[in-house]
Amino acid sequence: MKENKFIKFITSKYLILTVQLIATAIFIYFIFKLDLVPIKYLAPVTIVPCLLIIIFFFIMRSGQKRQKQGLHSKRLIITKIISLIMSIILMIGTAYAIRSNNFLDNVSDAKTQKYLISVITMKNNEANKLSDLDGKNFGVSYQNDSTTIAKAISDMEDEIGEQELTKYDDYSSLADALYNDKVDAIIVGQEYKSMLEANHESFDDDTKIIKSYEYDAKLSVTTKKTDVTEKPFTVYVTGIDTYGSVNTVARSDVNLIVTVNPKTKQILMTSIPRDCEIELNKNGEMDKLTHTGIYGTSETISTIEDFLDVQINYFARTNFSGMTNIVDALGGITVDSDYKFKTLHGNYQIEKGINEMDGDKALCFVRERYSLPNGDFDRGRNQQKVLKAMLDKAMSPKIITNFNNILSAIEGSFETDMSSKEIKSLLNMQLNDMADWSVYNVQVQGQGYKTTKTFSMWGTEVYVMKPDTKQVKKIKKLIDTVEQGGEINEDDIEGLGN
């Protein structure tokens, strides 16, 4: 008897409709909180679920009257089942809305950067943990950083006691000391890896990290916010050459200037090779673009603004972990390669034409330059190819089936100083007009040469690309056209590395 009452209770129209009512109310609340659905869609999204509750109520009441008259009502049973299904759908929709809102909050409003200091030994060293190095010789250089290195040494010695330190004038000498067994380990910032590689191209493969220390710092940039749905804006997209935290201070290996006009629906992507010769904003000295990342995102942005006479409104950054995780979460990508070659990292065979790539293969593909006929120039084109392939895959309907995994992959691997509200307004605009965008690619070109006079690696011979001033002037004009509301076409970008 009690079981019959319980079954009647859980299958009663009042309980089923109450569940649907609560699911509807929560769904509508989070839809408004997400602030992503265009106004023209809000009415059906919010009113239709409410109307269904009323309709289901009258259908169920009619069905119950028939039951009281001793008549069987299939319509009552079907309506209850549909009501339960609707509640489940609304709950799933709510979960998606909550997850999307949390994701946007987590990747937006970037305001910090992280310094990563590592204790590094040769790979064949028997030490596997910090305590194994107690009493060994440590090498250190204070060439560009004394404060953070000193803090890391202090933290290290808190763990294993005071150690013998040998100081070197520069990072190149520091790496030489490690390779020549003059020291057992070195203590160095992640951002100076290029200097460690100056005489040891396979540094990453030859060494191992025993311990790392992370230190947060405030990020102050010169970006200038604007109304992203009404006015043109420019985003600096950087890919840093490190794994782990996306806000780690490191070399800026990928440098894309994305100029967007929301009115004309045009996007101009300008790629600047990492080895491009520039003048540092902080002191006017000549250096390679990739080295600006050593001094933080703010220095890179200010230097690029000087170089292209452009106002950067926002920045976005990702890293090696981001590339790998996002591509894998997307289920791989398809890339059309211009050349057949083998990657130095990962030893992947790339075929001319169509290549299916997982995250690691895609990362090795965009990192490769030595096996390409035009070196860094071809690498920049490959980076644009992979970015486009990722966008194509991300816009596929299949993204719905892997929605949470993709957001989780991007989270922690990508961040921007664009606010959550600004990102939502852009997405809202796109959902509202579903416009097609025209995307154009250009790349700064120039003549490569070797020099010992870069500011960051003075005295060490490195490769630098001197930009073609005439070509850069044409690119500046294109950026200005997009920013001023004008339209560009394929003829305008012909011969500009598209």
Side-chain angles (χ1 to χ4, degrees):
M1 190 72 176
K2 287 183 178 179
E3 287 184 3
N4 288 338
K5 285 185 177 180
F6 178 73
I7 291 172
K8 283 184 178 180
F9 172 72
I10 63 173
T11 59
S12 70
K13 69 176 182 181
Y14 296 108
L15 180 61
I16 291 173
L17 288 174
T18 298
V19 170
Q20 186 179 347
L21 178 63
I22 293 171
T24 301
I26 295 174
F27 173 74
I28 291 174
Y29 169 77
F30 280 105
I31 284 297
F32 274 96
K33 186 177 181 181
L34 182 60
D35 194 25
L36 202 58
V37 180
I39 293 175
K40 68 181 182 181
Y41 296 133
L42 276 178
V45 167
T46 56
I47 294 174
V48 170
C50 296
L51 286 176
L52 285 174
I53 294 174
I54 298 171
I55 293 170
F56 289 166
F57 172 78
F58 284 108
I59 293 174
M60 289 182 192
R61 189 172 71 170
S62 172
Q64 281 192 327
K65 285 181 180 180
R66 287 176 59 83
Q67 281 186 335
K68 287 179 180 179
Q69 295 171 1
L71 300 173
H72 181 65
S73 178
K74 287 184 180 179
R75 190 166 59 178
L76 174 62
I77 297 171
I78 292 171
T79 304
K80 286 182 177 180
I81 292 172
I82 294 174
S83 176
L84 289 171
I85 292 173
M86 273 297 302
S87 297
I88 293 171
I89 292 172
L90 289 167
M91 290 176 188
I92 293 172
T94 300
Y96 272 79
I98 294 172
R99 181 69 181 92
S100 300
N101 198 58
N102 290 339
F103 165 76
L104 292 174
D105 287 341
N106 289 337
V107 302
S108 60
D109 285 317
K111 292 175 181 172
T112 62
Q113 57 189 358
K114 197 181 296 288
Y115 288 90
L116 180 67
I117 310 297
S118 297
V119 179
I120 302 173
T121 68
M122 296 302 293
K123 190 161 282 184
N124 58 11
N125 192 302
E126 294 180 357
N128 291 308
K129 56 183 184 294
L130 190 60
S131 59
D132 294 337
L133 293 172
D134 186 12
K136 302 295 184 180
N137 255 343
F138 289 84
V140 64
S141 174
Y142 297 106
Q143 183 182 2
N144 290 326
D145 180 10
S146 57
T147 305
T148 317
I149 289 291
K151 189 172 183 179
I153 292 172
S154 176
D155 288 344
M156 182 189 76
E157 292 185 338
D158 283 344
E159 295 183 57
I160 60 173
E162 190 172 339
Q163 302 296 313
E164 182 181 345
L165 299 174
T166 303
K167 298 177 184 178
Y168 291 89
D169 293 335
D170 53 55
Y171 300 102
S172 179
S173 299
L174 183 66
D176 289 342
L178 181 64
Y179 270 81
N180 296 329
D181 295 324
K182 291 182 180 179
V183 295
D184 299 290
I186 60 174
I187 305 165
V188 66
Q190 172 70 42
E191 64 268 37
Y192 303 114
K193 193 166 67 172
S194 60
M195 303 173 190
L196 300 173
E197 295 170 342
N199 301 325
H200 309 281
E201 202 171 276
S202 58
F203 183 85
D204 275 350
D205 297 325
D206 298 338
T207 62
K208 61 183 177 182
I209 295 175
I210 299 294
K211 178 79 175 183
S212 290
Y213 299 92
E214 290 185 340
Y215 302 101
D216 289 328
K218 185 179 179 181
L219 173 64
S220 298
V221 293
T222 58
T223 53
K224 185 178 180 181
K225 293 180 179 293
T226 188
D227 186 339
V228 293
T229 60
E230 293 295 328
K231 297 179 180 179
F233 61 94
T234 296
V235 183
Y236 167 57
V237 181
T238 178
I240 59 176
D241 70 334
T242 183
Y243 293 91
S245 300
V246 69
N247 60 351
T248 301
V249 175
R251 294 179 301 183
S252 48
D253 265 15
V254 177
N255 300 277
L256 281 175
I257 310 303
V258 183
T259 308
V260 183
N261 189 317
K263 292 297 186 182
T264 61
K265 306 298 181 184
Q266 289 197 323
I267 298 175
L268 175 65
M269 290 201 303
T270 304
S271 176
I272 311 175
R274 68 188 292 280
D275 293 324
C276 183
E277 176 189 292
I278 47 80
E279 289 183 359
L280 294 172
N281 173 267
K282 67 176 189 171
N283 57 18
E285 296 288 341
M286 189 275 284
D287 212 331
K288 301 205 300 184
L289 177 59
T290 185
H291 289 161
T292 61
I294 295 172
Y295 311 110
T297 302
S298 178
E299 175 63 22
T300 304
I301 289 173
S302 297
T303 297
I304 290 176
E305 287 181 328
D306 294 342
F307 179 64
L308 291 177
D309 292 333
V310 64
Q311 170 66 59
I312 293 175
N313 303 103
Y314 306 95
F315 75 83
R317 57 188 175 192
T318 186
N319 59 7
F320 289 165
S321 300
M323 166 72 74
T324 304
N325 296 340
I326 295 169
V327 171
D328 284 340
L330 289 169
I333 57 175
T334 302
V335 179
D336 188 356
S337 175
D338 294 329
Y339 306 103
K340 178 179 180 178
F341 62 92
K342 185 168 284 188
T343 65
L344 178 65
H345 299 281
N347 202 33
Y348 288 107
Q349 180 63 51
I350 306 297
E351 302 296 335
K352 182 177 181 180
I354 300 300
N355 292 263
E356 299 296 330
M357 298 183 182
D358 62 8
D360 189 61
K361 189 173 183 178
L363 173 61
C364 293
F365 176 73
V366 299
R367 292 182 70 186
E368 187 58 49
R369 57 175 168 150
Y370 296 110
S371 301
L372 298 169
N374 301 301
D376 207 38
F377 177 77
D378 286 331
R379 178 165 67 169
R381 294 182 66 181
N382 286 345
Q383 290 166 356
Q384 292 178 337
K385 285 174 181 286
V386 167
L387 179 59
K388 185 178 184 302
M390 290 170 67
L391 289 173
D392 288 344
K393 194 69 177 285
M395 292 176 182
S396 160
K398 291 182 180 179
I399 192 176
I400 300 299
T401 61
N402 206 21
F403 182 75
N404 190 59
N405 286 340
I406 292 171
L407 293 193
S408 297
I410 298 174
E411 231 167 24
S413 301
F414 171 88
E415 69 174 12
T416 177
D417 66 338
M418 187 176 283
S419 70
S420 176
K421 184 177 180 180
E422 288 168 323
I423 296 173
K424 288 176 182 178
S425 66
L426 273 174
L427 294 172
N428 189 298
M429 177 189 72
Q430 183 60 25
L431 290 171
N432 184 55
D433 58 29
M434 296 303 289
D436 291 326
W437 290 73
S438 298
V439 182
Y440 300 93
N441 299 311
V442 295
Q443 184 172 11
V444 173
Q445 301 176 50
Q447 188 67 41
Y449 71 101
K450 290 188 176 181
T451 180
T452 58
K453 297 181 180 180
T454 59
F455 174 76
S456 299
M457 296 184 69
W458 189 269
T460 301
E461 188 175 73
V462 295
Y463 174 85
V464 174
M465 186 202 81
K466 188 173 187 64
D468 181 333
T469 53
K470 290 183 179 179
Q471 195 241 10
V472 171
K473 187 175 181 180
K474 291 178 181 177
I475 290 176
K476 288 180 182 179
K477 187 175 180 181
L478 282 178
I479 293 174
D480 188 60
T481 298
V482 176
E483 287 185 329
Q484 297 303 318
E487 295 193 37
I488 60 177
N489 54 49
E490 290 292 342
D491 292 336
D492 295 323
I493 65 170
E494 187 175 353
L496 294 178
N498 52 304

